[in-house]
């Protein structure tokens, strides 16, 4: 087990922050290259005319998931030291719904709005301001629904554990699902563009 | 059929993904197989053995390592459980423990609101003849002080420093937030509730 | 909040054909690139990518600077402010999102896509588009806080980690997106 480097003390906090910057540059670069700095391209996802969002996101998930699986299987990464976002069913369901509504309304998500703003898109800058405002609103009213925010916790649980499936089976299923979705996406784009 | 360069790359990518994905299907779990440890037997009297009292760091490691057969039981009332509980715990309020019973398979770790509630739970389970019963001595508070908010006081002893570093390692996994250089006069300083709020930072850090 | 009126907007949307911008790359390759960045984050620092968390840090820092007592009393801020030993902006996600901005800027510049403009359909005014962007951003800010993450932190990071809540978030977000899509059709046509 040699990784994660920071958790195992190979990296200092300052080195971690430098890496954050570098990894961020790569993330932003690929988002822009893929066309995700363009609100119209993103919105196309919801009208099935441009499925770039699905293609980029799903291939990113598959890449990272496979990489993590195999690095861990080969004994390089200690998977238990990697932060797994905890599950809170009700707030994440409601949060997802509100987020999705805002997504199609604004046409960008938090990460891509930074890219859009950086490449001069005024709508991206406006969306950034809106997001800061939204976070502010949430924080101000947070004391009113602390209970809901912490409700229905499942802890740090993976789909494999939750449904008692083999981790490998799930990885394979997601890869298969992704490839199926890509074939579907190409078909839909061809049909809806012509 | 004409294949463009892009289609060629896509086919390669898809093939790699499918191969690695299929390999994963065969490989199974990426988590290392955790060898079953010899559990210290709890003496078959109502008094639990000395080593049945464990600290939060041990419990945290068991959860992290997905220890086979581990069952974590929260003895507090349902509303307290819903507000906060140790990840993976299930809720059997103390009043229901007697009638609920518990499987004698695997191992059970109990914790309540405080030492008294926890010990009551241990006695009930022992009376019911349960096998491997462990408990968090001071109840849920121990989890909050050791895992959620590991605290290092000013001018720590070597002992404390050591203990703190052990806690820090596991706390990172559970999203805990350490405090250092805390004046000794302050004691632990904040209530469990306050400590819990502080963990929000990790909880919604993304 | 000051909106730029359409008449004073520094630029209007330019049709793609009017620029010599390079085409976007194969989205699957861009996806693999992002996946490798995410993997690097996992391997090097043991956590994934994110975006909304950085905004939380910025908001908490701003509120704390203007109204320290108010921020300290609200656990939603206190969590991001820590115990005062570390500056709240000295944070993994804040640095990462600064990087994202730099990376986006570099890529757009080198591809000839760097220009002040508003991305919108032809059936909507600049002003309306910016209002929708602000409104959408506000909702996403609230939604991401409630869900403890956004498309980066939940969908990408949690998705690759196979977290239950992350996949639930993705399903809910896209369901709502598709359900609400007809309402905003004019923004993009």
């Amino acid at each position: 087990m040699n990784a994660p480097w920071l958790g195992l003390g190979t990296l200092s906090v300052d080195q971690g922050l430098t890496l954050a910057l570098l990894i961020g540059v790569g993330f932003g670069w690929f988002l822009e290259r893929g066309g995700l700095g363009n609100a119209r391209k993103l919105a196309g996802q919801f009208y099935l005319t441009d499925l770039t969002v699905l293609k980029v996101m799903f291939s990113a998930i598959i890449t990272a998931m496979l990489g993590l699986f195999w690095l861990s299987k080969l004994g390089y990464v200690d998977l238990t030291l990697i932060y797994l976002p905890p599950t809170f069913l009700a707030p994440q369901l409601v949060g997802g719904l509100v987020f999705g509504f805002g997504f199609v309304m604004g046409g960008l998500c938090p990460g891509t709005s930074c890219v859009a703003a950086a490449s001069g898109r005024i709508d991206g800058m406006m969306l950034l301001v809106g997001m800061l405002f939204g976070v502010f609103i949430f924080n101000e009213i947070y004391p009113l629904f602390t209970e809901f925010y912490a409700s229905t916790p499942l802890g740090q649980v993976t789909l494999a554990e939750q449904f008692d499936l083999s981790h490998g089976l799930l990885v394979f299923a997601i890869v298969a699902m992704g490839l199926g979705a890509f074939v579907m996406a190409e078909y839909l784009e061809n049909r809806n563009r012509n | 059929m004409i294949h463009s360069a892009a289609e060629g790359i896509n086919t390669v990518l898809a093939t790699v993904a499918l191969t690695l994905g299929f390999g994963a299907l065969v490989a199974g779990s990426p988590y290392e197989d955790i060898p079953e440890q010899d559990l210290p037997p709890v003496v078959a009297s109502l008094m639990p053995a000395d080593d049945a009292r464990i600290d939060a760091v041990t419990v945290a490691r068991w959860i992290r390592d997905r220890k086979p057969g581990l069952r974590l039981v929260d003895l507090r009332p349902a509303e307290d459980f819903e507000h906060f509980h140790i990840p993976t715990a299930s809720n059997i309020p103390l009043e229901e423990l007697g009638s609920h019973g518990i499987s004698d398979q695997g191992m059970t770790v109990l914790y309540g609101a405080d030492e008294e509630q926890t010990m009551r739970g241990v006695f009930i389970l022992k009376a019911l003849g349960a096998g491997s019963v462990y408990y968090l001595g001071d109840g849920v508070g121990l989890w909050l002080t050791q895992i959620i908010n590991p605290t290092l006081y000013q001018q720590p002893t070597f002992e404390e420093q050591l203990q703190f570093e052990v806690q820090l390692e596991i706390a990172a996994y559970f999203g805990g937030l350490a405090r250092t250089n805390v004046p000794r006069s302050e004691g632990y300083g904040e209530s469990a509730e306050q400590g819990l709020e502080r963990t929000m930072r990790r909880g919604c850090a993304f | 909040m000051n909106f730029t009126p359409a008449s004073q907007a520094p630029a209007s949307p330019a049709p793609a054909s009017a620029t010599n911008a390079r085409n976007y790359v194969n989205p699957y390759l861009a996806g693999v690139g992002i996946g490798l960045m995410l993997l690097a984050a996992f391997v090097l620092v043991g956590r994934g990518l994110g975006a909304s968390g950085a905004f939380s840090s910025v908001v908490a820092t701003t509120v704390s600077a203007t109204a320290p007592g108010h921020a300290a009393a609200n656990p939603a801020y206190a969590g991001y402010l820590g115990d005062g030993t570390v500056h709240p902006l000295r944070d993994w996600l804040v640095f990462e999102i600064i990087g994202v901005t730099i990376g986006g800027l570099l890529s757009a510049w080198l591809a000839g896509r760097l220009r002040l403009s508003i991305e919108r359909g032809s059936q909507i005014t600049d002003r309306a588009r910016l209002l929708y962007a602000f409104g959408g951003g506000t909702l996403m800010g609230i939604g991401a806080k409630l869900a403890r993450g956004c498309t980066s932190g939940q969908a990408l990071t949690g998705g690759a980690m196979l977290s239950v809540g992350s996949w639930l978030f993705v399903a809910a977000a896209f369901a709502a997106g598709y359900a609400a899509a007809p309402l905003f059709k004019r923004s993009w046509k």
Side-chain angles (χ1 to χ4, degrees):
Chain A
M1 296 287 168
N2 301 309
W5 294 10
L6 187 66
L8 295 175
T10 317
L11 285 180
S12 71
V13 174
D14 282 336
Q15 287 169 323
L17 290 178
T18 312
L19 276 170
L21 194 74
L22 293 177
I23 289 173
V25 169
F27 185 26
W29 171 275
F30 285 115
L31 280 175
E32 208 286 333
R33 287 282 133 162
L36 295 192
N38 181 330
R40 267 205 284 184
K41 250 177 122 51
L42 269 94
Q45 176 69 38
F46 295 105
Y47 302 97
L48 301 179
T49 51
D50 187 332
L51 296 163
T52 306
V53 171
L54 173 105
K55 296 182 198 174
V56 173
M57 253 177 64
F58 225 145
S59 32
I61 290 175
I62 289 177
T63 306
M65 178 184 68
L66 284 174
L68 201 55
F69 180 93
W70 283 107
L71 286 178
S72 152
K73 190 71 198 172
L74 297 173
Y76 185 73
V77 174
D78 184 352
L79 206 47
T80 57
L81 286 184
I82 293 177
Y83 180 72
L84 175 68
T87 296
F88 293 80
L89 291 178
Q92 283 177 328
L93 180 72
V94 176
L97 292 173
V98 174
F99 187 91
F101 191 94
F103 196 173
V104 69
M105 184 177 184
L108 294 158
C109 64
T112 52
S113 69
C114 293
V115 174
S119 54
R121 301 301 174 276
I122 299 160
D123 48 318
M125 301 172 198
M126 208 60 205
L127 198 130
L128 274 179
V129 177
M131 208 138 39
L132 291 171
F133 182 64
V135 170
F136 173 71
I137 294 284
F138 176 94
N139 287 348
E140 287 302 313
I141 59 174
Y142 171 76
L144 299 178
F145 56 93
T146 316
E147 260 177 55
F148 177 69
Y149 183 76
S151 66
T152 55
L154 293 188
Q156 293 177 303
V157 62
T158 66
L159 290 167
E161 292 161 342
Q162 182 68 22
F163 298 108
D164 209 11
L165 295 169
S166 133
H167 197 100
L169 171 70
L170 209 69
V171 168
F172 175 70
I174 289 174
V175 172
M177 207 166 83
L179 294 181
F182 295 155
V183 172
M184 193 69 174
E186 296 297 336
Y187 167 78
L188 284 172
E189 278 184 355
N190 272 329
R191 197 194 65 183
N192 293 345
R193 268 178 185 163
N194 302 330
Chain B
M1 205 166 160
I2 304 158
H3 284 274
S4 68
E7 276 175 25
I9 293 168
N10 292 350
T11 313
V12 171
L13 288 180
T15 312
V16 171
L18 209 53
T19 311
L20 290 177
F22 188 74
L25 177 63
V26 178
S29 171
Y31 293 98
E32 276 191 308
D33 296 326
I34 299 140
E36 188 81 43
Q37 289 172 15
D38 285 337
L39 305 174
V42 178
V43 283
S45 75
L46 283 187
M47 280 306 292
D50 289 339
D51 54 7
R53 182 184 182 117
I54 51 178
D55 65 352
V57 172
T58 309
V59 178
R61 287 198 175 136
W62 285 351
I63 298 171
R64 183 191 70 183
D65 298 338
R66 294 165 168 80
K67 195 175 178 64
L70 175 66
R71 188 186 312 104
L72 196 54
V73 175
D74 188 329
L75 299 167
R76 295 172 305 150
E79 54 265 38
D80 292 341
F81 176 83
E82 270 159 34
H83 183 61
F84 169 78
H85 63 258
I86 300 178
T88 73
S90 51
N91 185 214
I92 307 176
L94 187 62
E95 299 80 350
E96 295 164 29
L97 190 61
S99 53
H100 195 288
I102 207 142
S103 154
D104 54 1
Q105 302 284 310
M107 50 190 292
T108 306
V109 176
L110 290 177
Y111 70 90
D114 50 22
E115 179 157 15
E116 191 199 334
Q117 195 178 48
T118 309
M119 291 311 294
R120 281 172 189 267
V122 174
F123 289 136
I124 291 174
L125 278 199
K126 295 305 294 177
L128 290 171
S132 306
V133 179
Y134 296 82
Y135 62 98
L136 266 182
D138 300 322
V140 68
L142 195 62
W143 178 271
L144 294 170
T145 52
Q146 290 192 335
I147 307 298
I148 301 302
N149 280 159
T151 301
L152 189 64
Y153 293 111
Q154 279 171 357
Q155 287 147 16
T157 64
F158 180 69
E159 233 59 279
E160 287 171 338
Q161 183 86 39
L162 216 59
Q163 173 73 6
F164 179 73
E165 271 163 24
V166 168
Q167 292 170 4
L168 211 53
E169 187 248 339
I170 189 79
Y173 178 73
F174 286 95
L177 203 59
R179 303 190 307 154
T180 53
N181 209 21
V182 175
R184 226 164 257 280
S185 56
E186 208 181 276
Y188 179 63
E190 54 183 7
S191 68
E193 283 291 287
Q194 286 169 309
L196 195 54
E197 309 287 18
R198 289 156 50 79
T199 66
M200 274 199 49
R201 179 178 176 80
R202 281 306 285 267
C204 54
F206 288 103
Chain C
M1 220 33 55
N2 290 313
F3 293 103
T4 315
S7 55
Q8 291 169 22
S12 55
S17 56
T19 70
N20 57 358
R22 276 203 245 155
N23 286 331
Y24 294 116
V25 302
N26 179 343
Y28 301 108
L29 284 181
V32 170
I34 291 170
L36 291 176
M37 290 301 124
L38 179 53
L39 186 59
F42 282 144
V43 170
L44 297 176
V45 287
R47 56 186 300 186
L49 304 171
S52 50
F55 296 106
S56 293
S57 296
V58 171
V59 170
T61 310
T62 312
V63 171
S64 170
T66 46
H70 177 70
N74 185 339
Y77 294 119
Y80 282 87
L81 298 171
D83 53 7
T85 52
V86 176
H87 194 277
L89 292 182
R90 209 179 123 78
D91 177 81
W92 157 256
L93 285 180
V94 172
F95 276 68
E96 181 237 56
I97 216 70
I98 293 171
V100 167
T101 310
I102 297 172
L105 179 73
L106 272 178
S107 170
W109 177 46
L110 293 175
R113 285 191 282 268
L114 197 60
R115 60 169 188 277
L116 266 185
S117 62
I118 297 173
E119 216 61 66
R120 62 165 174 81
S122 56
Q123 297 180 14
I124 185 173
T125 60
D126 281 346
R127 191 192 170 85
R129 169 71 186 106
L130 293 184
L131 263 170
Y132 278 161
F134 180 80
T138 305
L139 287 175
M140 274 188 281
I142 294 172
K145 285 298 290 181
L146 198 51
R148 297 168 162 81
C150 61
T151 19
S152 310
Q154 290 292 0
L156 285 180
T157 304
M161 291 289 289
L162 305 180
S163 162
V164 173
S166 301
W167 283 87
L168 177 72
F169 170 81
V170 176
F174 279 92
Y178 281 105
L183 293 176
F184 302 106
K185 209 166 180 132
R186 289 185 36 176
S187 300
W188 315 110
K189 273 269 170 183

